[in-house]
Amino acid sequence: GAVVSQHPSRVICKSGTSVKIECRSLDFQATTMFWYRQFPKKSLMLMATSNEGSKATYEQGVEKDKFLINHASLTLSTLTVTSAHPEDSSFYICSAQLAYTTDTQYFGPGTRLTVL
Amino acid sequence: GENVEQHPSTLSVQEGDSAVIKCTYSDSASNYFPWYKQELGKGPQLIIDIRSNVGEKKDQRIAVTLNKTAKHFSLHITETQPEDSAVYFCAASRNTGFQKLVFGTGTRLLVSP
């Protein structure tokens, strides 16, 4: 139980294009999902907290117009990297929290974004 | 805000030995402490967690201890195996509202056969 999927697992795009990453909770409902960014050999950095049906809350220093987050249902959140540039290349990981609890976060497998 | 420090950054052990990873936190209101294992190119996997109402929790070869007074918690892995090799992250949060995890810097564990 508590499986979280991400799609795509890997994406390569040209500079200036937009990329959408999906995060799904497969066997549970999640009122809250989180998006993280991880650089090589570094820890996870929280980008934003996504709540179903409301606007995401972004961490300080994260551009909300650059990283668009939508949490349209209890099982799906999307992160869109708009007008991607090489410095946006990173490992993006989502996590989901069981609905109506403040309990454990379950992480997805991550998406490797490479911007050329 | 919360700050979590983790040591050591790398740890090499022989198969069968024990491994201990330590974390300290700064926010005395933190009451939830999970440990995650991350293999190369994959997302973190929860391996054990502990809440502030207990001092120790064990699951087969893995155990976690918590000292609230000193604000530190540790991961203990006994009888290590090569497949335990990975990066381990500790984290801390207040279990209220939106649970924002603050992660430690990670420990790269290498278990040699």
Side-chain angles (χ1 to χ4, degrees):
Chain A
V3 178
V4 177
S5 71
Q6 277 184 246
H7 179 79
S9 58
R10 187 181 297 266
V11 57
I12 301 173
C13 69
K14 293 181 178 180
S15 186
T17 59
S18 294
V19 175
K20 180 185 284 188
I21 302 170
E22 292 185 349
C23 177
R24 292 181 185 273
S25 56
L26 298 184
D27 52 359
F28 66 101
Q29 292 184 327
T31 43
T32 304
M33 291 184 173
F34 303 83
W35 287 95
Y36 295 83
R37 185 172 181 177
Q38 187 178 33
F39 291 104
K41 297 186 179 181
K42 296 294 184 182
S43 189
L44 285 79
M45 181 189 77
L46 179 64
M47 299 174 65
T49 302
S50 164
N51 292 290
E52 185 264 339
S54 63
K55 291 184 178 180
T57 302
Y58 291 81
E59 294 299 300
Q60 191 172 10
V62 178
E63 300 176 59
K64 61 179 181 181
D65 295 329
K66 173 75 170 176
F67 299 100
L68 300 179
I69 291 173
N70 182 273
H71 192 160
S73 76
L74 287 173
T75 59
L76 173 65
S77 177
T78 60
L79 167 68
T80 301
V81 183
T82 63
S83 187
H85 289 94
E87 56 266 31
D88 298 324
S89 298
S90 192
F91 194 50
Y92 292 89
I93 312 172
C94 71
S95 70
Q97 193 174 70
L98 188 64
Y100 311 114
T101 74
T102 56
D103 215 340
T104 308
Q105 286 185 36
Y106 298 96
F107 283 81
T111 296
R112 171 77 57 195
L113 171 63
T114 302
V115 185
L116 302 176
Chain B
E2 175 69 281
N3 181 51
V4 177
E5 295 187 357
Q6 184 172 345
H7 299 280
S9 56
T10 58
L11 179 59
S12 294
V13 300
Q14 291 292 123
E15 183 177 1
D17 288 349
S18 295
V20 180
I21 303 171
K22 298 182 180 181
C23 289
T24 59
Y25 61 99
S26 60
D27 186 353
S28 57
S30 289
N31 55 11
Y32 176 66
F33 309 93
W35 285 89
Y36 289 89
K37 174 184 180 182
Q38 187 177 29
E39 297 177 344
L40 189 63
K42 297 183 179 180
Q45 176 188 12
L46 178 73
I47 56 173
I48 196 167
D49 57 11
I50 192 168
R51 291 174 173 81
S52 59
N53 57 343
V54 297
E56 184 174 356
K57 184 176 178 181
K58 189 174 182 180
D59 182 4
Q60 299 182 348
R61 297 187 296 111
I62 296 172
V64 57
T65 58
L66 171 65
N67 183 326
K68 285 187 62 179
T69 303
K71 288 188 285 187
H72 69 69
F73 56 113
S74 300
L75 177 71
H76 305 253
I77 305 174
T78 59
E79 301 173 29
T80 54
Q81 302 167 1
E83 49 266 38
D84 293 331
S85 297
V87 178
Y88 292 81
F89 290 99
C90 64
S93 79
R94 299 182 179 191
N95 199 22
T96 56
F98 304 131
Q99 184 210 63
K100 289 174 61 173
L101 289 173
V102 178
F103 282 85
T105 49
T107 296
R108 186 171 300 276
L109 174 65
L110 177 60
V111 181
S112 302

